[in-house]
Amino acid sequence: MTSPLLESDLALARVLLAGPGPALVLTGAGISAESGVPTFRGAGGLWRRHRPEDLATPEAFARDPRLVWEWYEGRRTALRGCNPNPGHIALARWMLSRPDITLVTQNVDRLHEQAGEQVGADDARTHPVRLHGTIDQNRCTACEYVAEHPGPSDTSSQATLPRCPQCGSLLRPDVVWFGEMLPEAAVTRATETAQCATVCLVVGTAGAVYPAAGFAKIVYRKGGALIVVDPGDTAFDPIATVKLRGEAGRVLPELLRAGGVEVSVSST
Ligand code: OAD
Ligand code: ZN
């Protein structure tokens, strides 16, 4: 647990977030950490135990699709028991309170969407722009086929791996691997938002991966404020207007209920 937040930092961050102009929220693995989803680079992080080049590149998949499938099946199974934490919930409520907040995530879980459902609004207002895809979907390695992951797959041999119902080629998780292009529509939306946002709230990302980290930096370069919520050090700290050093599940509810007025939610 990190030390208590400074009231002055919280107050400044609230003022910045309440200012006029659109807001960009950039989230990373850290926002899901308190839901039990491992991060990548911190203590217990996935990339501390595995090499990304063995599991999260097109070359790794071409070399050993069974190993990659098995790893993603393990992550999917682990995710099945995870629920949104108070950080996701606070963010979802805040997003419903204003029309000009765009949430951009690097996470492949669906915890932002589930938080939206829990606060009574399963609609686009709480859905993130996904930079790195969705682990619950598969897509074909050869054609345009994309579908929800139907459930546990037999990854015991290459012959049993899921195949495309349209063309018979191997399916793969619908996530972005190192060395691959990000979905164009997501990048366009994130770039457009970053260029006009007056404030950027960065939550739980080390800032080591581009272009994701670059969207927060665009806001900064355009003169916008940067608020960083993270218990550890991040690449954004040197340019942060305010650093709120703490866990998302503790800081976000405190930060986003400015003046003790909890945003009321009405379902549509
Ligand atoms: P990282 O693992 O690099 O960073 C996680 C951040 O979350 C760190 O700064 C931690 O200090 C912070 N953190 C830990 N617990 C937290 C908590 N309870 N509340 C808030 N923050 C906390 O994860 P990302 O920055 O998301 O991409 O990684 C970016 C990309 O690298 C991922 O999307 C993935 C990975 O390789 C691909 O696989 C393409
Ligand atoms: Zn196909």
Side-chain angles (χ1 to χ4, degrees):
M1 191 55 120
T2 43
S3 46
L5 297 171
L6 282 179
E7 256 322 307
S8 53
D9 284 346
L10 267 177
L12 173 58
R14 285 180 183 135
V15 168
L16 293 169
L17 289 172
L24 169 68
V25 183
L26 177 67
T27 63
I31 194 167
S32 297
E34 289 153 273
S35 297
V37 184
T39 62
F40 292 94
R41 293 174 183 78
L46 294 172
W47 298 153
R48 294 284 181 101
R49 283 174 285 139
H50 306 280
R51 287 165 12 118
E53 53 273 41
D54 291 340
L55 297 165
T57 63
E59 294 76 19
F61 189 75
R63 201 165 47 233
D64 193 347
R66 198 206 62 77
L67 177 72
V68 174
W69 259 102
E70 185 179 61
W71 190 62
Y72 277 93
E73 281 297 294
R75 287 181 61 193
R76 285 164 166 158
T77 303
L79 260 175
R80 254 169 240 138
C82 297
N83 294 305
N85 66 57
H88 295 104
I89 299 284
L91 211 47
R93 287 208 167 108
W94 182 55
M95 291 182 69
L96 291 176
S97 74
R98 274 172 53 174
D100 54 354
I101 303 169
T102 303
L103 171 59
V104 174
T105 193
Q106 298 163 85
N107 298 345
V108 294
D109 63 51
R110 284 233 171 97
L111 295 173
H112 283 304
E113 286 91 337
Q114 288 171 16
E117 283 164 32
Q118 285 190 14
V119 301
D122 179 22
D123 64 42
R125 289 178 296 166
T126 58
H127 290 187
V129 174
R130 301 190 153 277
L131 295 175
H132 294 167
T134 308
I135 200 167
D136 284 342
Q137 279 179 193
N138 295 316
R139 66 182 153 94
C140 180
T141 49
C143 75
E144 300 298 307
Y145 179 81
V146 179
E148 283 290 300
H149 182 59
S153 310
D154 181 354
T155 59
S156 57
S157 77
Q158 188 158 332
T160 61
L161 295 180
R163 293 194 166 263
C164 175
Q166 283 176 14
C167 77
S169 303
L170 268 184
L171 292 179
R172 56 164 281 180
D174 189 18
V175 298
V176 175
W177 286 327
F178 288 100
E180 292 187 319
M181 300 293 284
L182 274 61
E184 202 180 317
V187 171
T188 303
R189 250 194 93 194
T191 306
E192 285 171 3
T193 306
Q195 278 167 346
C196 64
T198 54
V199 61
C200 179
L201 175 62
V202 180
V203 186
T205 172
V209 172
Y210 282 79
F215 299 121
K217 294 190 175 173
I218 293 174
V219 179
Y220 166 76
R221 276 202 303 274
K222 292 249 167 194
L226 215 58
I227 299 164
V228 176
V229 176
D230 198 300
D233 296 332
T234 78
F236 306 105
D237 297 356
I239 57 167
T241 319
V242 188
K243 169 78 186 252
L244 299 171
R245 194 175 279 277
E247 294 77 13
R250 177 172 68 101
V251 177
L252 291 180
E254 217 175 325
L255 173 66
L256 300 174
R257 285 172 200 171
V261 183
E262 193 169 339
V263 172
S264 67
V265 178
S266 56
S267 47
T268 48

